[in-house]
Amino acid sequence: MRIGVLSLQGGFAEHISSLTKLNAEAFEIRKKSDPIGNIDGLIIPGGESTVMRKLLIDTELFDPIKSLIRDGLPVFGTCAGMILLAKNTADNPMGGFDGIDITVKRNAYGRQLSSFMIEEEFADIGRIPMTFIRAPYITTVRSDVRILAIVNGTKVAAENKNILVTAFHPELTEDLSVHQYFLKKILMNKAYFR
Amino acid sequence: MNNRYELNKNLAQMLKGGVIMDVTTPEQAKIAEDAGACAVMALERIPADIRAAGGVSRMSDPKMIRSIQEAVSIPVMAKVRIGHFAEAQILQAIEIDYIDESEVLSPADDVFHIDKTKFDVPFVCGARNLGEALRRISEGASMIRTKGEPGTGDVVQAVRHLRIINQQIRSIQNMPENELFNAAKELQVSHELVCYVHKNGRLPVVNFAAGGVATPADAALMMQLGAEGVFVGSGIFKSGDPKKRAQAIVKAVTNYNDPEILAEISQDLGDAMVGINEQEISLLMAERGV
């Protein structure tokens, strides 16, 4: 499977390493000439969402990725990636890919002193380690969105048709189960569209 | 170490591929955020002005730092003097996202650095070589940057420091295991940290370039030499068109390997900061805190 990892800023190397451990072919997407048309899935990593959004527009990657998402490309966003994929952001609307009908709140738990690690249930997987770094959480969802994990009463992972989002960073732990979940989602998605 | 240290290393990982900019006002912080800075360093005077003004340079007014925390949504860092743990306690109390124990300010202790393991907030520290980097890490730093020579607009020292760190890493990587004990002795660091470097060929924390970066080409140079991101101090707000230069440096860090893009973004940036050559300066800040 060929997975592009958006590599404009943030924790992209960690995602590539997780995917490589799962024997997926992972490579960086940095500019328009990179082969975004020829991928089975895309990961939007953690980092600063404001930075990534600006660089997406500057590199003219924003529109092509937005249409790929609309056409059903499976995309997995962690932390800043979740913010960019959400339909709405609660605090200051920034206009992202509108991939999944959720509203997210940025820096929802507070500053770095409030970053935390926890083990919690993730749908269909079981208990996994979750690392939250100045993380967002989901405030509201539409009915076609499935909530995958709840931590301390806050919604932290969700999916709909082709989009998977987590407020935490599976790529920062040794646990590969969420990446595996995404790869499985791609396979199911492929079968569905065929 | 504990969870907190992991979380603090993790925040640095999320800053990778980004530019951290020195700002002195909420307005500058806003310009930096809009230009694509992944974090800002709040301080009362940028290094070039500290250098020009002389005198003792200290932690900034917490009120000024708070005003910057309120102005932006990205992480806010601030500097304390080397060894000044009380200043660090104050910054932790205002929930700063990262503390820079920095040679840019006047050192408060000429022997001891801060015991950073006693803090919950993360620390970044400067280093000129692998020994300094690993000593700061054993004291609890969760991110390293080159010292370079702050406030000069001259990149030569940052290049020198990054090259030395990388050469020393390569040499340890290639050593037989039974020579690592002596390497630890010579570097004045723990055998455990030397073993980490031997096995992984890198520092156990993120390593940024800092000190003297003034142009998009400087930023690209540091990235190609192996920096994982860049601090820009005086280079932006001492230049003719800070907004444009800030945007260009952000793009240069993302596209550091693409000369065509670098050529395009290096155009029409107005005047770079004037700068001073290393032979012309009397105060070498990089020699502070070894």
Side-chain angles (χ1 to χ4, degrees):
Chain A
M1 244 182 295
R2 288 168 56 81
I3 314 291
V5 178
L6 188 68
S7 302
L8 300 174
Q9 191 266 324
F12 49 86
E14 290 80 357
H15 275 292
I16 291 177
S17 149
S18 299
L19 290 167
T20 310
K21 284 181 197 154
L22 290 168
N23 296 319
E25 188 190 337
F27 52 92
E28 297 181 357
I29 302 285
R30 281 177 186 270
K31 49 182 189 285
K32 224 169 54 171
S33 55
D34 289 332
I36 48 168
N38 183 21
I39 51 177
D40 301 308
L42 177 72
I43 288 186
I44 306 180
E48 280 303 318
S49 55
T50 52
V51 179
M52 270 188 250
R53 186 174 179 281
K54 177 163 177 40
L55 288 167
L56 276 164
I57 290 166
D58 289 346
T59 53
E60 296 174 37
L61 276 168
F62 188 88
D63 289 335
I65 291 178
K66 189 163 180 167
S67 29
L68 286 169
I69 290 174
R70 205 183 308 126
D71 296 345
L73 178 75
V75 186
F76 174 22
T78 58
C79 196
M82 173 168 102
I83 295 169
L84 289 167
L85 286 166
K87 187 180 175 77
N88 298 303
T89 39
D91 34 4
N92 56 5
M94 54 190 290
F97 290 123
D98 192 6
I100 180 165
D101 200 342
I102 58 174
T103 301
V104 296
K105 184 173 187 307
R106 295 176 61 212
N107 300 334
Y109 301 94
R111 298 187 174 280
Q112 172 62 7
L113 278 175
S114 310
S115 292
F116 63 101
M117 284 177 193
I118 196 167
E119 270 196 20
E120 252 321 328
E121 289 289 324
F122 189 99
D124 308 344
I125 297 179
R127 283 182 90 76
I128 56 165
M130 301 179 181
T131 299
F132 294 83
I133 306 292
R134 285 172 46 94
Y137 61 62
I138 302 165
T139 54
T140 56
V141 294
R142 279 277 297 269
S143 54
D144 61 337
V145 173
R146 181 180 176 216
I147 301 294
L148 299 171
I150 291 178
V151 166
N152 300 331
T154 55
K155 304 177 205 57
V156 297
E159 70 176 338
N160 69 356
K161 298 180 293 289
N162 55 324
I163 306 294
L164 170 66
V165 291
T166 62
F168 58 93
H169 295 276
E171 76 282 10
L172 292 178
T173 66
E174 296 295 311
D175 184 87
L176 300 171
S177 54
V178 182
H179 286 87
Q180 214 155 13
Y181 186 91
F182 178 56
L183 296 181
K184 220 182 285 173
K185 189 176 169 70
I186 294 175
L187 288 175
M188 277 159 59
N189 205 61
K190 266 188 171 171
Y192 178 80
F193 279 100
R194 216 164 262 156
Chain B
M1 281 195 221
N2 57 13
N3 252 359
R4 193 41 58 188
Y5 186 61
E6 279 305 311
L7 289 165
N8 289 341
K9 285 203 289 188
N10 289 160
L11 175 57
Q13 282 173 278
M14 290 307 134
L15 300 174
K16 280 188 302 178
V19 182
I20 299 167
M21 302 182 191
D22 279 3
V23 297
T24 58
T25 62
E27 292 72 33
Q28 286 185 354
K30 209 60 205 133
I31 291 173
E33 181 176 48
D34 292 345
C38 68
V40 289
M41 177 77 69
L43 71 178
E44 269 160 5
R45 278 180 297 177
I46 56 175
D49 290 337
I50 292 175
R51 197 174 273 290
V56 175
S57 180
R58 309 177 178 91
M59 176 189 79
S60 299
D61 183 342
K63 186 178 169 191
M64 169 266 171
I65 297 171
R66 277 205 175 106
S67 69
I68 287 173
Q69 286 175 316
E70 279 157 26
V72 295
S73 66
I74 54 180
V76 177
M77 304 183 166
K79 290 182 194 291
V80 300
R81 287 179 264 176
I82 289 173
H84 207 315
F85 51 84
E87 285 185 348
Q89 289 160 358
I90 291 169
L91 290 187
Q92 174 159 285
I94 62 167
E95 293 193 32
I96 200 79
D97 291 303
Y98 240 99
I99 294 177
D100 184 2
E101 186 182 16
S102 177
E103 67 283 359
V104 169
L105 306 183
S106 306
D109 192 320
D110 53 8
V111 179
F112 298 102
H113 277 74
I114 297 171
D115 177 1
K116 295 166 274 287
T117 63
K118 296 288 184 289
F119 286 80
D120 288 331
V121 286
F123 281 80
V124 54
C125 289
R128 291 177 301 177
N129 53 51
L130 185 60
E132 286 186 13
L134 294 179
R135 283 196 292 280
R136 298 297 85 79
I137 290 167
S138 57
E139 293 157 5
S142 49
M143 180 178 183
I144 293 293
R145 54 171 177 76
T146 59
K147 283 180 174 169
E149 192 51 37
T152 59
D154 185 0
V155 82
V156 65
Q157 305 225 28
V159 167
R160 187 184 299 149
H161 300 160
L162 192 55
R163 279 204 187 267
I164 289 172
I165 290 173
N166 288 336
Q167 281 163 5
Q168 289 178 305
I169 288 177
R170 281 195 298 273
S171 123
I172 284 185
Q173 225 183 336
N174 294 325
M175 268 177 204
E177 276 180 21
N178 60 13
E179 290 182 10
L180 297 177
F181 297 98
N182 191 57
K185 186 182 81 183
E186 281 175 356
L187 291 170
Q188 297 176 273
V189 300
S190 74
H191 177 249
E192 192 193 347
L193 280 173
V194 171
C195 285
Y196 181 93
V197 173
H198 175 69
K199 192 170 161 221
N200 297 282
R202 54 161 298 138
L203 294 178
V205 302
V206 167
N207 186 18
F208 269 46
V213 175
T215 66
D218 288 349
L221 174 70
M222 298 313 298
M223 292 297 287
Q224 288 189 36
L225 287 172
E228 298 184 279
V230 172
F231 283 85
V232 187
S234 318
I236 289 171
F237 290 100
K238 273 285 161 193
S239 73
D241 189 342
K243 194 174 161 184
K244 206 165 171 189
R245 184 165 294 266
Q247 286 179 351
I249 293 178
V250 168
K251 278 192 225 174
V253 168
T254 297
N255 301 291
Y256 67 93
N257 256 334
D258 192 325
E260 276 168 36
I261 296 179
L262 292 173
E264 198 189 306
I265 58 183
S266 297
Q267 294 185 115
D268 279 334
L269 291 180
D271 294 333
M273 71 178 284
V274 177
I276 6 172
N277 292 305
E278 76 173 324
Q279 296 81 3
E280 299 165 356
I281 48 179
S282 50
L283 172 66
L284 276 174
M285 291 174 172
E287 288 175 354
R288 292 167 165 175
V290 292

